[in-house]
């Protein structure tokens, strides 16, 4: 089953829509979709290493644009949905204190979430809800997403064939590692 999924994902590399599909996945992942764009970007680069930096650029631009949507969701929907819930539980003051602390160091949270397995969408929405300055949010999002996507692209461009062989020989292990990182990111969000 994993082999079929892997081969199916690689088939997008030959599609004339591969950049659009990558852009769509990168965009929605930044605000609502749980699967990161790396899942698609890595096989695309492995299949077409000469387009590695184009894939990284598309993923970066679309991810940051999707982050702006996440910010909007946090900024605009928080008052209509989130704030009444906090008021009901008498936690509005606690959130206000959290927002002040978050905004003091929010740029570090955006940077960390942008380059780690931590779900980036959580930070995009939180940034909007706490009122982190939008320009700062966008700048740090662009830096973070550029770092992660271009580092991956550079490594795969330089060492693509050995990495492809490594992944293909250990596909179940790579899939398990990805799932552990994904679940770990959500665990950190929920319990820390």
């Amino acid at each position: 089953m994993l082999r079929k999924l892997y081969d199916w994902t690689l088939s997008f590399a030959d599609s004339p829509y591969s950049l659009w599909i990558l852009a769509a996945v990168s965009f929605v992942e930044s605000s609502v979709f749980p699967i990161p764009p790396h899942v698609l970007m890595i096989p695309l680069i492995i299949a077409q290493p000469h387009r590695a930096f184009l894939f990284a650029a598309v993923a970066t631009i679309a991810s940051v644009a999707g982050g702006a949507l996440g910010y909007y969701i946090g900024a605009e929907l928080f008052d209509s949905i989130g704030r009444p819930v906090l008021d009901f539980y008498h936690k509005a003051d606690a959130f206000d204190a959290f927002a002040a602390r978050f905004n003091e160091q929010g740029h570090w949270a955006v940077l960390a979430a942008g380059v780690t397995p931590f779900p980036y969408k959580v930070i995009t929405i939180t940034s909007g809800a706490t009122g982190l300055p939008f320009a700062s949010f966008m700048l740090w999002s662009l830096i973070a997403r550029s770092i992660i996507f271009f580092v991956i692209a550079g490594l795969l461009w330089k060492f693509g064939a050995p990495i492809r062989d490594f992944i293909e020989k250990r596909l179940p292990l790579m899939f398990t590692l990805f799932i552990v990182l994904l679940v770990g990111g959500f665990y950190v969000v929920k319990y820390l």
Side-chain angles (χ1 to χ4, degrees), residues 26 29 31 47 55 66 83 85 92-93 112 132 136 141 165 170 181 185:
S26 299
E29 181 273 337
S31 54
F55 289 133
R83 180 68 65 178
V85 171
D93 292 338
L132 182 71
S136 176
S141 289
D165 292 342
R170 295 163 186 83
L181 290 173

Side-chain angles (χ1 to χ4, degrees), residues 61-81:
I61 292 166
S63 182
V64 172
L69 174 62
Y71 185 98
Y72 175 81
I73 290 169
E76 295 302 317
L77 298 182
F78 180 78
D79 286 337
S80 61
I81 297 170

